[in-house]
Amino acid sequence: MARWIDVFSLSVTTMIFVGMILAIIYFARRISSTVEVTKESLKNRGISISDSGVSIKTNKRFDMEHYVDATQRFVLRRHQASNFYLTINN
């Protein structure tokens, strides 16, 4: 026959486990809602996050001329940086 202390211990243990499970569910939902709010905020700024990746909405378009100009600027800067390095070491 179960004594009152056994019933009390069982009920306290059950309450602790149920409380832990409810706390985990609560925090998981809070984290999920925070993530959704953050996704919506980023989406309003033009950044879309999905399972397949991240996409950024821009208003600018680059054509071939812009690409070539950017490449030439990069090469010129690297060339100038290497010449600066060579003049210092000589």
Side-chain angles (χ1 to χ4, degrees), residues 58-89:
T58 61
N59 295 330
K60 296 183 180 181
R61 291 270 187 203
F62 286 104
D63 57 1
M64 189 62 162
E65 184 178 339
H66 290 107
Y67 174 74
V68 170
D69 287 343
T71 305
Q72 287 174 348
R73 279 193 306 272
F74 174 77
V75 170
L76 184 61
R77 286 180 189 158
R78 295 304 147 239
H79 178 69
Q80 289 172 347
S82 67
N83 285 342
F84 179 73
Y85 179 74
L86 291 175
T87 56
I88 290 175
N89 288 330

Side-chain angles (χ1 to χ4, degrees), residues 23-85:
I24 290 170
I25 290 171
Y26 172 76
F27 286 118
R29 286 186 180 172
R30 290 283 297 208
I31 290 170
S32 178
S33 67
T34 303
V35 167
E36 290 301 319
V37 168
T38 304
K39 279 185 180 181
E40 283 298 317
S41 172
L42 289 174
K43 194 171 189 179
N44 291 338
R45 294 181 185 174
I47 301 172
S48 178
I49 300 174
S50 66
D51 294 337
S52 61
V54 177
S55 63
I56 300 173
K57 180 181 169 187
T58 61
N59 295 330
K60 296 183 180 181
R61 291 270 187 203
F62 286 104
D63 57 1
M64 189 62 162
E65 184 178 339
H66 290 107
Y67 174 74
V68 170
D69 287 343
T71 305
Q72 287 174 348
R73 279 193 306 272
F74 174 77
V75 170
L76 184 61
R77 286 180 189 158
R78 295 304 147 239
H79 178 69
Q80 289 172 347
S82 67
N83 285 342
F84 179 73
Y85 179 74

Side-chain angles (χ1 to χ4, degrees), residues 9-29:
S9 297
L10 177 65
S11 61
V12 168
T13 304
T14 304
M15 282 188 224
I16 289 173
F17 281 122
V18 169
M20 287 176 24
I21 291 171
L22 290 175
I24 290 170
I25 290 171
Y26 172 76
F27 286 118
R29 286 186 180 172

